[in-house]
Amino acid sequence: MKKLVLLLGLISITTNAQVLNNKQEFTRQDSLRGTNNEFRNWWDVKHYKISVEPDYQSKSIKGKTTITFDKTAPEKSDLLQIDLQYPMMVSAVKLNGKKISDFKRDGNVYFINVGKNIKNTSNQLELEYNGNPRVAVKAPWDGGWIFSKDEKGRYWMSVAVQGLGASAWFPNKDYLGDEPDNGTELEIITPKDLVGVGNGRLVSKKEKNGKTTYTWKIVNPINNYNIIPYIGHYVNFKDTFEGEKGKLDLDYYVLDYNIDKAKSQFEQAKLMLKSFEHWFGPYPFYEDSFKIVEAPHLGMEHQSGIAYGNKFENGYLGRDLSGSGWGLKWDFIIVHEAGHEWFGNNITEKDVADMWIHEAFTAYSETLFTETYYGKDAASEYVRGTRKAIQNDIPIIGVYGVNQEGSGDMYYKGANMIHTLRTWMNNDEKFRQMLRGLNKEFYHQTVTTEEIENYIAKFSGLNLNAFFNQYLRTVKVPTLELKQNGNKVEYRYTNVVDGFTMALRLKDSDITINPTTNWQTINNSTITKAIDVTINPNYYIDSHIIY
């Protein structure tokens, strides 16, 4: 949800690319982070075991990451790349139990000389690390570690690193295309008066020397920026949801003084789950439970443990981002961030340039939730209301291979693109089955835009090449021009890419026109005046009459 800050008039910067003469120039560091290069394309992460111990006073952390990995191809180099952003440091390295002294820093990465000592399976790379991580100034939009205090002045810590990357605080293979197939274990070491909460399920709690170690286990694949420790004066309450795959455990962690408000507000989680299982299919992580954890920032989609900071009220900090009124009927953070469990966490982009896959579908989940409980007309009013946030500044798809996101329009232009496609399909049940099919076909997988586009085109039966090129790769809004020619009405598309031929239905009518870039005549005896032609408003297009 990070780039939703654009809706508040701010800009999130998540790359160290420079802008020179109105052209972005990318660095070698961008490429090392953004590509699956020769130093990491031959090995596959199977599991992370992460230990972290923060020190609030010094704003530092220390710990150890153990990466279990398999060799998937012959090494092209003796060097293995590990990402850890400056000023965090790797202090010691072991490979399969043997110490390695030959490792060197190159900006935000370390190159470790592993020689020819890699087994085909089950290699274990142990990395001890420490330092003062980047501190977030305004989380979650400005990423980093969060050293905060609660309303009683007590320590409250967490992390938010979408875009910035998990390598801001622990060493890992910081590449979205390689998730740990066998999950993750997160060990959080805290002073004894604090509680450490992580993703997945709590498997142990041990006290020693005035400290407590909380160990959390995630059995499903997880993208790195979703692995998050929360540390504070938490209390826990539980519930269950009878879902499509049986009983789903619901686990809630909030600051002790907010438990009554949370018990009331978090009832919406079951409404969300009922709606999204209907539209998207079963919640993807039954084995790891579903959690909401109160966080010292607004919110984030941390898998099986979403961050919540919406002050236990409806809307987006009490606002309706659509201006339609419907956005105040439900808690934005519960709905939006949990929507990412399907799009973002279950289906995950390989390259951050394709983040629209996460954000467009999740932004549209707000519309679908509204439809579930308030009807289709309300939902359409909601999504159309979000159009005022669309900037059409740069394309939705970013630059590949350099960790570069596209426009913040990936949220609500993306949602309106999906709503437009649904309107074009004109078959709500088929549309629903398409969404469920996506989550089944790409279950726990990392994907590309091409894979998503191809699936949707095949399922819908529509030729969508120009459609996706138009909305994802340009800033042009399709424009329908109408003009009067005697007692006939003529029409055509302008401001479109080659081959854009989306059919349009008239408002409150089954009459369909099929615009191209050539002038055509509406062949319907009931339509004789251009001023009487109104297109179904659920298409995200512009239209005007030429006089």
Side-chain angles (χ1 to χ4, degrees):
M1 68 148 304
K2 176 173 57 61
K3 285 192 113 177
L4 274 173
V5 73
L6 287 170
L7 303 174
L8 304 179
L10 300 174
I11 297 176
S12 176
I13 300 173
T14 58
T15 178
N16 61 346
Q18 298 176 345
V19 178
L20 300 174
N21 299 321
N22 296 319
K23 181 181 179 181
Q24 282 190 320
E25 300 290 339
F26 296 98
T27 69
R28 179 170 177 271
Q29 289 293 312
D30 294 319
S31 296
L32 285 173
R33 167 77 187 283
T35 58
N36 193 25
N37 58 49
E38 63 181 299
F39 306 111
R40 53 186 185 179
N41 63 5
W42 51 268
W43 56 284
D44 176 49
V45 177
K46 308 306 289 186
H47 185 268
Y48 284 111
K49 182 177 181 180
I50 305 158
S51 176
V52 61
E53 180 178 358
D55 182 271
Y56 188 96
Q57 295 291 342
S58 64
K59 303 295 187 292
S60 67
I61 60 175
K62 64 180 180 180
K64 182 170 78 171
T65 297
T66 300
I67 306 174
T68 303
F69 68 93
D70 290 349
K71 179 179 175 180
T72 56
E75 308 101 305
K76 295 182 180 179
S77 168
D78 289 346
L79 302 180
L80 179 150
Q81 177 183 328
I82 289 294
D83 303 280
L84 184 64
Q85 295 178 35
Y86 186 84
M88 294 296 296
M89 299 178 294
V90 171
S91 57
V93 178
K94 287 184 180 180
L95 176 63
N96 298 325
K98 296 182 180 180
K99 182 179 179 181
I100 293 181
S101 300
D102 189 1
F103 60 95
K104 295 181 180 179
R105 169 162 237 149
D106 184 348
N108 290 326
V109 310
Y110 278 86
F111 288 111
I112 300 170
N113 191 335
V114 296
K116 306 300 180 184
N117 299 311
I118 303 297
K119 302 182 296 181
N120 287 332
T121 61
S122 302
N123 294 279
Q124 289 203 332
L125 183 66
E126 300 176 42
L127 304 153
E128 295 183 22
Y129 67 96
N130 64 82
N132 294 89
R134 171 173 166 170
V135 176
V137 176
K138 188 176 178 57
W141 306 292
D142 174 76
W145 195 277
I146 304 161
F147 294 95
S148 183
K149 290 186 178 181
D150 65 20
E151 292 179 5
K152 293 186 176 182
R154 304 170 300 184
Y155 294 165
W156 193 13
M157 293 173 278
S158 191
V159 187
V161 286
Q162 184 187 18
L164 178 62
S167 56
W169 70 277
F170 75 95
N172 64 88
K173 184 179 182 179
D174 206 357
Y175 171 65
L176 288 167
D178 190 1
E179 298 182 346
D181 304 89
N182 301 327
T184 298
E185 185 175 296
L186 176 60
E187 182 181 86
I188 307 168
I189 303 170
T190 74
K192 65 179 181 179
D193 61 326
L194 295 173
V195 177
V197 182
N199 313 76
R201 296 180 185 270
L202 181 65
V203 295
S204 70
K205 174 185 174 183
K206 298 178 181 178
E207 295 184 4
K208 184 178 180 180
N209 298 328
K211 297 179 181 180
T212 306
T213 299
Y214 296 85
T215 302
W216 295 80
K217 185 176 182 180
I218 307 106
V219 301
N220 288 299
I222 183 170
N223 63 62
N224 289 356
Y225 76 78
N226 271 333
I227 303 169
I228 297 295
Y230 303 88
I231 301 167
H233 285 264
Y234 287 113
V235 292
N236 170 239
F237 65 99
K238 301 177 184 294
D239 203 345
T240 59
F241 171 75
E242 292 298 328
E244 291 191 12
K245 291 178 66 174
K247 186 178 77 171
L248 173 62
D249 295 326
L250 310 181
D251 226 0
Y252 304 120
Y253 284 84
V254 297
L255 296 177
D256 45 17
Y257 51 78
N258 282 329
I259 188 166
D260 291 337
K261 288 185 287 187
K263 283 183 175 180
S264 175
Q265 191 73 358
F266 288 1
E267 280 293 311
Q268 291 188 39
K270 287 183 284 188
L271 298 176
M272 174 278 300
L273 287 163
K274 181 178 179 181
S275 173
F276 290 171
E277 286 209 333
H278 170 78
W279 288 105
F280 302 146
Y283 171 71
F285 309 108
Y286 270 71
E287 302 84 357
D288 291 323
S289 79
F290 174 80
K291 288 197 300 301
I292 299 177
V293 186
E294 187 175 1
H297 59 85
L298 180 59
M300 190 59 76
E301 64 263 25
H302 302 143
Q303 183 175 310
S304 73
I306 66 170
Y308 178 88
N310 203 37
K311 302 185 183 301
F312 307 97
E313 59 186 13
N314 285 351
Y316 177 100
L317 293 175
R319 296 177 52 210
D320 174 12
L321 295 181
S322 76
S324 68
W326 297 110
L328 292 175
K329 300 290 186 181
W330 39 268
D331 190 309
F332 180 93
I333 294 300
I334 292 176
V335 171
H336 180 92
E337 302 305 347
H340 275 302
E341 294 282 37
W342 285 264
F343 290 97
N345 300 346
N346 183 40
I347 304 173
T348 305
E349 71 210 5
K350 287 182 184 291
D351 191 301
V352 73
D354 288 333
M355 191 179 284
W356 77 271
I357 298 168
H358 296 201
E359 300 301 352
F361 286 100
T362 300
Y364 195 63
S365 76
E366 301 159 25
T367 296
L368 296 174
F369 180 88
T370 303
E371 181 168 340
T372 299
Y373 296 105
Y374 303 102
K376 189 173 180 180
D377 288 345
S380 295
E381 289 174 14
Y382 178 83
V383 70
R384 294 198 305 267
T386 64
R387 291 176 185 173
K388 68 179 184 295
I390 298 173
Q391 310 254 326
N392 280 314
D393 51 354
I394 59 175
I396 285 175
I397 290 180
V399 181
Y400 290 104
V402 289
N403 198 48
Q404 175 62 52
E405 300 172 11
S407 171
D409 283 346
M410 69 180 78
Y411 289 85
Y412 288 133
K413 183 178 180 181
N416 276 278
M417 177 189 73
I418 294 168
H419 194 61
T420 298
L421 173 62
R422 177 184 179 183
T423 305
W424 185 7
M425 289 174 64
N426 198 27
N427 185 328
D428 287 347
E429 181 56 23
K430 186 174 184 178
F431 176 77
R432 183 175 79 94
Q433 292 302 329
M434 183 185 75
L435 297 177
R436 291 175 66 95
L438 282 167
N439 278 280
K440 184 177 181 180
E441 177 74 13
F442 301 109
Y443 184 75
H444 291 179
Q445 293 183 37
T446 60
V447 300
T448 64
T449 284
E450 182 180 17
E451 289 175 299
I452 298 299
E453 288 182 355
N454 289 344
Y455 182 91
I456 292 173
K458 183 177 179 180
F459 196 100
S460 68
L462 299 171
N463 185 342
L464 297 176
N465 288 341
F467 176 86
F468 284 122
N469 285 338
Q470 180 81 34
Y471 288 106
L472 294 178
R473 298 177 177 90
T474 81
V475 298
K476 300 190 292 187
V477 180
T479 300
L480 179 70
E481 289 188 340
L482 299 160
K483 71 177 180 180
Q484 195 75 42
N485 184 1
N487 62 351
K488 298 289 186 179
V489 179
E490 296 184 346
Y491 63 95
R492 71 173 181 182
Y493 273 134
T494 61
N495 207 36
V496 292
V497 300
D498 290 344
F500 189 88
T501 57
M502 178 174 64
L504 301 172
R505 292 194 314 282
L506 274 57
K507 183 180 180 182
D508 302 323
S509 171
D510 290 329
I511 298 174
T512 300
I513 60 175
N514 295 279
T516 67
T517 54
N518 298 318
W519 285 107
Q520 300 178 68
T521 300
I522 296 180
N523 294 312
N524 190 297
S525 60
T526 65
I527 301 175
T528 60
K529 295 182 180 180
I531 197 170
D532 294 333
V533 177
T534 303
I535 301 300
N536 185 319
N538 291 309
Y539 298 98
Y540 176 51
I541 65 169
D542 288 335
S543 64
H544 63 261
I545 298 173
I546 297 177
Y547 292 100

